[in-house]
Amino acid sequence: MGERQSPIGVIGVGYVGLVSAACFAHLGHSVVCLDVDEERVAALSAGVIPIYEPGLEKLLEDNRERLRFTTSYGDLLSACRVLFVAVDTPPSPSGDADLSRVRQVVGEVAERGGDRILVMKSTVPVGTGGHVLHQLRARGADGVHYVSNPEFLREGAAIQDFLEPDRVVIGATDPEDGDRIEALYRGVDAPVVRTSVPTAEMIKYASNAFLATKISFINEIANVCEGVGADVRTVAEGMGLDHRIGPHFLQAGIGYGGSCFPKDVQALKQLAGNSGYHFQLLNAVIEVNQLQKRRVVAKLKQRLGSLHELRVGLLGLTFKPNTDDLREAASIVLAARLQGEGATVGAYDPMVPAGAHPQFPGVTICGSPEEALRDADAAILVTEWPEFQRLDWAACRELMARPLLVDGRNALDGEALAAAGFEYEGLGTADGPVGGDLESVSSGRPDGAASSAGGRR
Ligand code: UDX
């Protein structure tokens, strides 16, 4: 097929598509990117990057002569034989992945037929490859083959994850198709897992579900630590030294968010249910993640009693640092919950402009952390942006009506903050009230009716 000569096609220029396109160009390939969003394509053609991803702008700029953007399938398909699909598969109301955009792509490709390989990078339910092939054959597109090549890109580290991955997974029915796709990764030094299409699809779901399980597990350990005076940070360190466990994804906090984990865990649960299997463990993983956000509110109530007419400052809104992504961010639930308790909420995030924001109705988004903390009765660190570690906390203390700080990511130096006069509390650290009545949260009583048991200090 001569992929070295014919450019690679990438359909969908969101995070995954754009990063993949830039990285393939960096590896020396010519790439044609298609998106149905005309504004986005026009912006990219003019060198304007619509998303924030460290290093992406430079990579696109450095490889500009190998990259082209279009909205025309005719244009894309006349140039490319290998087509990577990187369109959104958001959750549908039933919890299943919404594959309407994938179906649209398949329809466009089927209509034009030809001798091609459709390579699925989007996360799709196990079995999708079979359905797509069926759709293609039903429409007479016999020359279009299918390969599953799931992505494992973390936002904020996506370029590194693409160019230095832990593994490349390629699921193909025809080994020759797999060979062709594997050849495109020449220059990437990583083990390649060659397998069937459904196995490749499952590797993606199982990986994300396992990582989410690790997070919910350590969050539950954190909650138990609070009751017994242990410190989850050292527990995680001690556990992580066991090479069978490993040190990663054992950071306790207010739970996982983002565009992948919540959606993929839900979709895997749904997929199992659709085939008659009740995936018990994933139910717990999801529930723990939901309750973990409410736990932070319960901590405030434990210290302050009612939150009615109190002012709470949120530090960080994105689902994690180094991204501008607010999808499934804990801050959204937290802000709504706090307002539901009658509190006024101010917030600051380095990537969210000051003013009102549709995702945060009623919340004042401030232009600086100091502004968000001014006159606040409590502050919650929601996203561990490095700049919060460098804040002049002594000055912040003076700004606050009450120097109560709940560190939802265990990211700050609790001892230093306590020495600076803060009432500091992490999650699962030894600085909270031991044996406090937070069971209302862990037992699923979302009213969070907690006692006002005093702290140890
Ligand atoms: C994730 C996967 O890592 C990636 O392989 C996949 O393809 C897409 O989903 P991403 O969503 O960008 O990537 O973020 P990640 O860094 O994995 O973090 C996910 C969430 O888990 C964040 O909200 C983060 O704050 C949280 N997290 C992560 C924890 O709470 N504790 C941890 O120890 C690690």
Side-chain angles (χ1 to χ4, degrees):
M1 261 195 195
E3 279 79 38
R4 281 273 161 195
Q5 290 79 40
S6 90
I8 294 174
V10 173
I11 303 172
V13 283
Y15 277 104
V16 172
L18 202 50
V19 168
S20 304
C23 290
F24 276 131
H26 173 78
L27 292 174
H29 304 283
S30 289
V31 185
V32 180
C33 303
L34 176 140
D35 202 290
V36 288
D37 184 335
E38 288 178 14
E39 262 178 50
R40 183 168 271 234
V41 167
L44 283 162
S45 300
V48 179
I49 317 302
I51 56 170
Y52 173 74
E53 179 63 35
L56 183 59
E57 197 164 356
K58 181 164 188 324
L59 202 64
L60 288 168
E61 184 53 42
D62 290 351
N63 295 285
R64 219 181 151 86
E65 78 282 4
R66 278 193 285 277
L67 285 156
R68 190 158 77 70
F69 300 91
T70 182
T71 53
S72 154
Y73 271 96
D75 181 8
L76 177 86
L77 297 180
S78 63
C80 308
R81 305 182 100 177
V82 173
L83 304 164
F84 283 86
V85 181
V87 294
D88 271 23
T89 53
S92 69
S94 66
D96 296 284
D98 172 0
L99 295 181
S100 55
R101 292 187 184 94
V102 170
R103 276 194 288 274
Q104 207 178 336
V105 171
V106 173
E108 296 280 358
V109 174
E111 200 178 304
R112 290 162 178 90
D115 178 17
R116 309 182 193 284
I117 306 179
L118 206 56
V119 191
M120 190 58 67
K121 271 229 169 279
S122 302
T123 303
V124 291
V126 183
T128 300
H131 295 307
V132 168
L133 269 181
H134 187 75
Q135 201 182 336
L136 288 166
R137 297 299 168 259
R139 300 191 59 173
D142 293 341
V144 183
H145 292 202
Y146 186 94
V147 168
S148 167
N149 174 219
E151 55 85 15
F152 299 96
L153 308 177
R154 285 166 304 164
E155 288 180 23
I159 291 168
Q160 187 195 341
D161 285 350
F162 190 100
L163 295 173
E164 298 162 38
D166 289 342
R167 78 298 210 189
V168 173
V169 175
I170 297 174
T173 312
D174 179 345
E176 270 182 38
D177 295 339
D179 292 346
R180 287 185 180 134
I181 303 310
E182 188 172 343
L184 300 178
Y185 284 92
R186 208 165 286 142
V188 169
D189 181 20
V192 178
V193 180
R194 293 285 298 268
T195 182
S196 68
V197 170
T199 302
E201 291 168 341
M202 186 53 111
I203 288 173
K204 167 70 190 204
Y205 273 116
S207 301
N208 274 357
F210 185 77
L211 291 170
T213 303
K214 246 182 138 177
I215 297 171
S216 279
F217 181 85
I218 200 67
N219 282 339
E220 290 224 277
I221 292 290
N223 300 343
V224 177
C225 280
E226 286 179 7
V228 298
D231 190 314
V232 71
R233 292 165 298 188
T234 313
V235 172
E237 196 186 325
M239 286 170 63
L241 285 169
D242 184 326
H243 74 275
R244 294 168 302 176
I245 298 173
H248 306 292
F249 279 72
L250 287 178
Q251 174 70 45
I254 49 180
Y256 59 79
S259 62
C260 288
F261 283 178
K263 164 176 86 91
D264 293 352
V265 175
Q266 188 65 37
L268 180 53
K269 178 191 143 180
Q270 197 68 27
L271 184 84
N274 293 349
S275 62
Y277 183 73
H278 179 65
F279 205 143
Q280 185 120 350
L281 187 56
L282 288 189
N283 281 323
V285 169
I286 294 166
E287 192 184 349
V288 168
N289 198 54
Q290 283 164 351
L291 293 174
Q292 203 64 9
K293 295 163 208 155
R294 295 175 178 275
R295 219 177 145 79
V296 176
V297 178
K299 277 176 183 288
L300 292 192
K301 290 174 76 178
Q302 194 175 29
R303 299 260 188 177
L304 299 168
S306 164
L307 302 185
H308 194 68
E309 293 191 342
L310 297 188
R311 188 177 151 79
V312 180
L314 300 183
L315 295 180
L317 293 170
T318 54
F319 84 95
K320 67 173 191 178
N322 288 323
T323 176
D324 60 353
D325 201 335
L326 291 167
R327 282 178 287 181
E328 298 283 338
S331 57
I332 298 171
V333 174
L334 257 182
R337 199 73 271 295
L338 289 166
Q339 292 183 94
E341 294 287 337
T344 305
V345 180
Y348 166 77
D349 187 286
M351 292 304 286
V352 183
H357 193 288
Q359 297 260 55
F360 300 98
V363 175
T364 308
I365 315 257
C366 305
S368 70
E370 289 80 5
E371 218 183 301
L373 296 180
R374 191 178 305 279
D375 298 327
D377 298 284
I380 303 174
L381 183 107
V382 183
T383 316
E384 66 278 33
W385 284 98
E387 73 175 70
F388 297 139
Q389 268 151 12
R390 299 190 296 266
L391 262 187
D392 182 349
W393 282 102
C396 290
R397 186 195 176 288
E398 296 309 314
L399 291 173
M400 292 176 70
R402 175 169 172 166
L404 172 58
L405 175 58
V406 174
D407 182 351
R409 297 290 178 179
N410 288 345
L412 302 172
D413 182 343
E415 272 178 33
L417 285 162
F422 274 92
E423 286 173 70
Y424 172 89
E425 192 170 336
L427 296 186
T429 56
D431 38 42
V434 170
D437 177 18
L438 285 168
E439 303 88 61
S440 53
V441 178
S442 55
S443 65
R445 261 169 44 211
D447 57 6
S451 81
S452 53
R456 280 190 307 153
R457 267 185 228 110

